[in-house]
Amino acid sequence: MKMITNMNNSIEKLTRATHSPQGKYGATDDNYNRLKRQLTDKPVDMVMRARRIVWQKIAIAASIIIMSCISYAMIKTYIIDMPRHKTLTYHETPMSDIIRDIEKEYHITIIVNDPNKLNYRITAEFTTDEDVESIIEALSTASGTNLTIDQN
C-alpha cells in the first residue's frame, strides 16, 4: 500500500510540473493517465521482456542446431562420401603388374592374347575415374598385343 501511495505521489509531482523531465507530459488529465499507465505497466513489461529474451535464446539455439545438422549433412555428402579417385602411376613396370592392379581396382578379369608380352615394361599413368575400356585400349596399343575383358 505504501508503494502505491509513493507512486501516486511521484506521478502527481511529475504531472504538476509543466513538463516531465523528458518534456513529453504536461499537467493535463490525459497526460496524467498516460504517465500513470506507463509507470504501473513496468512490472508487466519486465516479465514480457524476460519471456521474449528467453524465447529469443531458444530460437537462436534451435537455429544453431539446425544449421549444424545441415552443415554436417553437406560435409558428409560432399566431402566424406565423395568418390575417391586414385591415380595408378607406373614407371618401367611389367605389364603383368599393371594388369593385376587394373583387375583388382575394377574387379574384372583381363585376357591377354600374347602371354609373352606380360614382361613388356610400360610407363603410364591412369586415374580410376577413367573408363576401363580406354585404359585397356591404351595398354593394348602400347604393348602391341590384344587385351580384352573376360565377360564371365
Side-chain angles (χ1 to χ4, degrees), residues 27-141:
T28 63
D29 288 339
D30 184 43
N31 286 337
Y32 175 81
N33 290 332
R34 191 175 349 156
L35 183 60
K36 184 176 179 181
R37 199 170 43 248
Q38 282 188 352
L39 288 174
T40 56
D41 287 347
K42 288 298 180 191
V44 175
D45 284 345
M46 296 289 278
V47 170
M48 294 299 290
R49 186 174 181 194
R51 286 182 184 163
R52 189 177 325 126
I53 290 171
V54 167
W55 281 108
Q56 285 174 345
K57 289 181 179 181
I58 291 171
I60 290 169
S63 62
I64 289 171
I65 291 169
I66 290 169
M67 291 302 294
S68 297
C69 291
I70 292 171
S71 298
Y72 175 75
M74 290 178 68
I75 288 171
K76 185 172 182 334
T77 301
Y78 293 108
I79 295 174
I80 296 173
D81 293 341
M82 183 188 294
R84 303 284 189 245
H85 302 294
K86 286 189 351 190
T87 302
L88 305 172
T89 306
Y90 304 101
H91 181 71
E92 297 292 324
T93 307
M95 188 135 117
S96 59
D97 293 348
I98 297 172
I99 290 174
R100 184 188 63 235
D101 290 349
I102 291 172
E103 287 177 337
K104 183 178 175 184
E105 189 65 38
Y106 288 95
H107 307 290
I108 60 170
T109 303
I110 298 174
I111 300 170
V112 181
N113 289 350
D114 187 4
N116 295 329
K117 299 282 185 159
L118 289 176
N119 292 330
Y120 188 76
R121 296 188 174 273
I122 295 178
T123 298
E125 182 174 289
F126 305 107
T127 58
T128 56
D129 61 341
E130 289 183 55
D131 190 32
V132 69
E133 285 84 12
S134 64
I135 294 173
I136 290 174
E137 183 180 325
L139 286 174
S140 294
T141 304

Side-chain angles (χ1 to χ4, degrees), residues 2-12 36 39-40:
K2 185 175 183 178
M3 184 175 154
I4 294 173
T5 307
N6 287 343
M7 191 180 337
N8 284 338
N9 288 341
S10 63
I11 292 172
E12 288 175 20
K36 184 176 179 181
L39 288 174
T40 56

